[in-house]
Amino acid sequence: MRIICLGDSIMQYNDCTTYPQTGWVQELARFFPVETEFLNFAKNGRSTKSFIDEGRFDEAKNVARAGDWALIQFGHNDEKKQDPARYTSPDEGGDYRKNLALFVRELQAKGVKPIILSPMARRKFVADHKMEDTHGAYPAAALAEAKNLNIPSIDMTSLTFAFVEKTGELVSRRFFMNFDAGEYDNFPDGKSDNSHLRPDGAFAFAKLAAQELAKLGKQWPDYAALSNAVITGGMDASEFEKDTADEKLMA
């Protein structure tokens, strides 16, 4: 089984030079048999527009073959109105939806079965256990375009938003590249980044995605082989909640 991944820095593969930053797809591999091949074309800073303009989609399309699956997740950089090289409108008829449709149709023409995912939530608390949405119209646009194209979608924005919000402002730092000086050799001065993920965050978000992928086959029979491949054992949400409670008691 091969899974092609199109996206931005939240999805991209990270090596030792950027540790502990971890793309969530790196952890998604834990939920599939070891022989599953992930072809990760996601790249830092890319929007649907720049991903196309730089030829990255052509690279992915050129290696795609019948029987592959594709995860498509953009939004963080499409939102950047100040940057015409990346910005796309989420409105109906806008380039964000048009570009997602291009990805889907051209991959389908090669026999690939695509899935659109809305962007992962950013960690922006206004009070403990109360977050503020930062993605505006983009998540709904992604889901609407998937419906228009008659393909599966996963609302990762809502799933990850609810998860982080429930975890709380303090404890949720462990999921993101938000840490104090001296914790990591690659970032001796620390970091305050509430978009990119550390291993715990990538694992938590990947588990949410894996749980949804495991359900797809019921509504979308053509996706049953992908759903059946998901390894559904391991920690459930209650275990994360227990960890959170334990850490608060120890604080």
Side-chain angles (χ1 to χ4, degrees), residues 24-217:
W24 71 267
V25 164
Q26 290 178 251
E27 293 297 319
L28 184 65
R30 296 182 184 274
F31 296 91
F32 283 86
V34 67
E35 63 270 18
T36 305
E37 186 177 358
F38 285 85
L39 289 77
N40 194 345
F41 290 90
K43 189 67 176 176
N44 180 60
R46 272 54 182 188
S47 68
T48 58
K49 182 180 188 302
S50 61
F51 198 83
I52 293 168
D53 290 347
E54 294 176 5
R56 296 184 181 278
F57 178 57
D58 286 338
E59 291 178 16
K61 186 173 61 173
N62 287 342
V63 303
R65 63 192 189 207
D68 289 346
W69 313 88
L71 304 178
I72 304 169
Q73 184 183 53
F74 289 91
H76 277 78
N77 300 299
D78 288 80
E79 301 168 9
K80 297 180 176 177
K81 271 192 173 183
Q82 73 279 12
D83 186 353
R86 292 188 287 181
Y87 174 72
T88 63
S89 169
D91 296 339
E92 188 171 359
D95 284 343
Y96 180 62
R97 291 181 59 162
K98 286 181 180 178
N99 292 341
L100 292 175
L102 173 71
F103 296 152
V104 168
R105 289 173 178 144
E106 296 205 9
L107 288 171
Q108 285 178 325
K110 297 203 69 173
V112 177
K113 291 184 174 63
I115 303 158
I116 289 177
L117 299 87
S118 62
M120 301 300 190
R122 296 186 181 95
R123 177 183 173 273
K124 186 175 182 181
F125 280 88
V126 294
D128 195 21
H129 299 288
K130 181 66 176 177
M131 289 219 304
E132 179 180 314
D133 170 64
T134 67
H135 286 305
Y138 288 86
L143 302 178
E145 194 56 34
K147 184 176 181 180
N148 183 55
L149 294 164
N150 195 32
I151 65 162
S153 64
I154 300 176
D155 186 0
M156 291 305 301
T157 311
S158 294
L159 290 169
T160 55
F161 187 99
F163 175 81
V164 176
E165 188 173 64
K166 187 173 184 179
T167 303
E169 182 174 15
L170 177 61
V171 177
S172 64
R173 285 187 74 199
R174 74 186 246 207
F175 299 126
F176 291 85
M177 290 287 287
N178 188 320
F179 45 82
D180 298 330
E183 290 192 38
Y184 296 100
D185 288 346
N186 281 338
F187 301 93
D189 298 326
K191 201 162 178 64
S192 181
D193 176 346
N194 294 305
S195 295
H196 300 97
L197 303 169
R198 283 194 268 175
D200 278 358
F203 179 82
F205 285 13
K207 184 169 182 62
L208 292 171
Q211 289 170 335
E212 296 303 307
L213 291 170
K215 301 173 187 176
L216 286 186

Side-chain angles (χ1 to χ4, degrees), residues 13-29:
Y13 173 80
N14 285 261
D15 61 20
C16 63
T17 62
T18 52
Y19 183 82
Q21 186 169 320
T22 307
W24 71 267
V25 164
Q26 290 178 251
E27 293 297 319
L28 184 65

